[in-house]
Amino acid sequence: QLQSVESGGGSVQAGDSLRLVCTVSGGAINNFAMGWFRQVPGNAREFVAGINWRDPSTYYANSVKGRFTISRDDGKNTVYLQMNNLKFEDTAIYYCAAVSLGSWYPLSSWGRGTPVTVTS
């Protein structure tokens, strides 16, 4: 089963950038759509961004559109999330997973996530 390990989080100021990295083991991701999600403790996990496996189609939550960019390197079994112009409300733990395209239902196990803290 696919297993994700997320990294790249940290504590930054509003307006700064971070690049999150999701390395996947247990199988190849080249036949899967991949997604990034985030969760604030006590709240539900929410979809942030998704990327197709057939073409470079990408999908974003309205709250991050224009600021975040998802990309993938199937040769490295890795997915990235470039986050620019970070806002306080982006503070959360970020997770990635293989997903069902469109519904964003997770198809792989959740990793531990990587925390992002944005101070204003």
Side-chain angles (χ1 to χ4, degrees):
Q1 186 177 12
L2 297 180
Q3 179 66 51
S4 304
V5 176
E6 300 88 356
S7 62
S11 182
V12 297
Q13 293 187 329
D16 286 351
S17 299
L18 282 174
R19 188 178 80 151
L20 304 184
V21 180
C22 171
T23 303
V24 181
S25 61
I29 68 170
N30 58 351
N31 289 323
F32 291 93
M34 298 296 297
W36 281 97
F37 299 76
R38 65 188 181 188
Q39 185 173 25
V40 175
N43 291 357
R45 195 165 304 184
E46 65 174 3
F47 169 79
V48 174
I51 186 167
N52 199 353
W53 75 98
R54 297 177 183 173
D55 56 47
S57 297
T58 55
Y59 310 83
Y60 299 95
N62 287 335
S63 59
V64 306
K65 200 171 293 183
R67 299 187 298 119
F68 290 12
T69 302
I70 186 172
S71 61
R72 62 191 295 160
D73 185 338
D74 290 350
K76 296 182 178 180
N77 240 33
T78 300
V79 184
Y80 305 95
L81 186 67
Q82 178 66 43
M83 306 188 298
N84 297 330
N85 190 22
L86 282 160
K87 303 178 179 181
F88 173 76
E89 50 265 39
D90 295 319
T91 296
I93 300 173
Y94 284 72
Y95 303 85
C96 75
V99 294
S100 176
L101 187 67
S103 70
W104 311 119
Y105 184 83
L107 301 177
S108 61
S109 301
W110 295 111
R112 294 184 177 182
T114 186
V116 172
T117 302
V118 184
T119 56
S120 56

